[in-house]
Amino acid sequence: MFSRLGRFVVRFPWLVIAAWAIAIVAVVATAPKLTATTDQSDFLPSHYESIQAAKLQQQAFPNSNTPAALIVFERSDGAPMTDADSTAVAAAAAKLSERNIKDVTAIQAVPPAENRAIEVVAVQMTKVTSANDTHQSDAVKSLRDALKEQVNGTDLKAGITGTAAQTLDQQDSSTKGLIIIGVATVVLILVLLLLIFRSPIIALLPILVIFIAVSPLASGLIAIASNTFDLKIDSSVQSLLVVVLFGVGTDYILFLMFRFRERLRAGEDAKTAVVSAVTRVGEAITSAAAAVIIAFGALALSTLGMFRSMGIALAIAVAVALLAGLTLIPAIVSLLGTKVFWPSKAWQVEPTGARFAAVGGALGKRPGLFAVASGGVLIALGVFAFGFNPTFDLSSGSTSGSSESVVYGKELLKGMPAGSTQPSQVYLRSEHGALSADELNAFGAALRGVHGVGEVGPQPALSADKTVAEYQVTLSDKPESDTALKTVKGPLRDAAHAAAPVGTSAVVGGMTSVFVDFQHAMNRDYTVVFPVAAILIMIVLALLLRSVVAPWYLMASVFLGFAATLGSAVLVFQHLQGDSGLIFTLPLIMYLFVVALGTDYNILMVARLREEAREGNDPHRAAALALRHTGPTVAAAGVILAGTFASMMLAGNDTLSQMGFAISVGIAIAAFVMAMFFTPAVTALIGRRAWWPGHGGDAEQQQPQWDTEWTPSDVVSDLRR
């Protein structure tokens, strides 16, 4: 099949390019705008309590009095607020209210904190109705401009925090992060490809193809799918999409170009070499992409909308990148021929100092030593994974620490309970008519007695028919903290349910309640998505290798790689950096990337192992030759893909930094430990049995003499050749 595809592309390159151009224009012209949501409740199923509370709020309190933003005032010199300062704050609130800022429905000063460290002005706004709704963000921008005028020339300073301000700062941080990630990714790929091939054409080819063809087509298809299936796209998906398109797309192009160069050195003409490259590497690339697509597709089984949308989006991106690698790139290369390597001439001759051959020789001679050493590294790092602690700090984690909402969110804690930025709401609903004063008072008293609750509003808000009461509950701890989650999950929900009078029911809402339900949904997803993805990837490996043995130890190596990656992240962020935990979505995202993309390199290596075995080489020599020929490809692809994900650490927020670090380390482990050493070493030890019940063709031959002298600088030299 791949031979026929290669011949067709080489015979009709302009037809292939024209087909791509037509598809891009058609999709871009018809696709809706791809937008992301920052409302975490959008991602949960309706049966969770936090979502039931949100729906009840919308029905009973369409104009909820929950503040969308909080203006925090304090003295510039850090001294306690005076009576004159309080008067100035009240005057500032009145003047801001007189501005009639669009979508600001009420501005009201809150009584000063007991320690007089700060004063707060609550701001109510029109409710957000969709992911595209920017009313609250625009209102925060106007408020910040007006606030500067109010404190200018006074002894006070002020800033805006709260949900609306955090959302605005998250959006700004995400936009800046995307730009940084995009620029860093492109520069990294250009530099690395120039170092490896010493050709500006090859360096620019992946960038231009991905930017002009792959990215717009993939983004358009994702937007169409998102609109058709009502997917909720998380802002982090857009950052991941950039690195997946450039990283994975460049990897597939590299796989093809290394094999194209190898066939040229074997004496084939350019067009024949393109056909041979597609024929020989097409199955491996397709199998690798299938493993990635299946792993991402397994997210469709998630109960969380954010993961379902992420899985579909990234699966589409990988599928488009694969299609480009098998059709568009070969078509362009067939037209350029050997000019694609200009001005370098190194492609014409086999490297004389092939140090990957020396490394392969050492592995072929002592596979047991390499298996134990590489496996030991994975296990040693994996031990730290047991210390993983999830954190739900999505607000500050997704925003720069210097943003106004984060800075004044911390200042707010000087005089208010830690949960003031995002209070919880408890709803009491009557099934028998209007709620009585006794019922309201008794229920409020029960809430005030819950350990972990800092404040409960003096009077609940009542719906128009007085059948639903809304209690504002401020927790003693930060809304996203482990302690706050435990308070809501246990004492608060238990007390609310137990204290509801006969004929009434109670539900707990708010962002902390959403996080509690997220935690429950994630634990469920771990038990479903992980096994399904693993089983489906094993099926792909079994079909590719015609073996039921190899998939088991290949997946075992991938699981060791996952544990080592999570352990590395725990070691760096929790032990060395002192963070309280890692973002709670990290294990699932990391599992999919490390398992899926890590399997890419395993597939590439083991496919070459099988190819060498079929040519009559014994298991040890097959491992040596596979590492010699495929090692440079895996090394180059691993460096580029790990580097592209590492660029996420430049985005300026903890969420993307942790994702970027973990995924880049995971890919480096997959390329330089698993695929380079562990997989070929174990395959050499297992021998012919690795291909059972298929036929590897690994005939016994005389053991060769191994050259084992090498240095790290020689590896870099080999990559450039």
Side-chain angles (χ1 to χ4, degrees), residues 12-31:
F12 304 106
W14 288 112
L15 179 61
V16 173
I17 294 171
W20 269 87
I22 293 170
I24 293 166
V25 172
V27 169
V28 171
T30 58

Side-chain angles (χ1 to χ4, degrees), residues 588-672:
L588 187 55
I589 293 173
M590 190 184 67
Y591 172 85
L592 292 166
F593 277 99
V594 173
V595 169
L597 298 178
T599 303
D600 266 16
Y601 302 129
N602 262 345
I603 286 176
L604 194 67
M605 181 61 73
V606 81
R608 189 62 185 243
L609 281 164
R610 186 188 62 173
E611 182 180 327
E612 297 297 342
R614 282 179 169 176
E615 292 181 2
N617 295 296
D618 68 89
H620 288 236
R621 180 162 177 77
L625 292 174
L627 184 53
R628 174 185 178 182
H629 292 296
T630 306
T633 308
V634 170
V639 168
I640 288 176
L641 191 57
T644 55
F645 278 101
S647 68
M648 295 173 67
M649 291 189 286
L650 303 175
N653 65 68
D654 292 342
T655 300
L656 292 181
S657 293
Q658 291 179 10
M659 282 187 188
F661 175 85
I663 296 173
S664 61
V665 168
I667 290 169
I669 288 174
F672 294 98

Side-chain angles (χ1 to χ4, degrees), residues 9 39 144 211 234 248 314 322 407 476 515 549 556 575-576 588 707 709:
V9 170
D39 186 353
R144 283 177 171 171
F211 183 77
D234 179 54
V248 174
L314 298 180
L322 171 66
V407 171
S476 302
F515 291 156
V549 176
H575 292 281
L576 299 181
L588 187 55
D707 173 16
E709 295 181 1

Side-chain angles (χ1 to χ4, degrees), residues 409-430:
K410 295 177 180 177
E411 296 301 305
L412 181 68
L413 302 183
K414 291 180 177 179
M416 302 286 284
S420 299
T421 53
Q422 292 180 329
S424 295
Q425 292 82 40
V426 180
Y427 297 93
L428 181 65
R429 183 173 190 170
S430 171

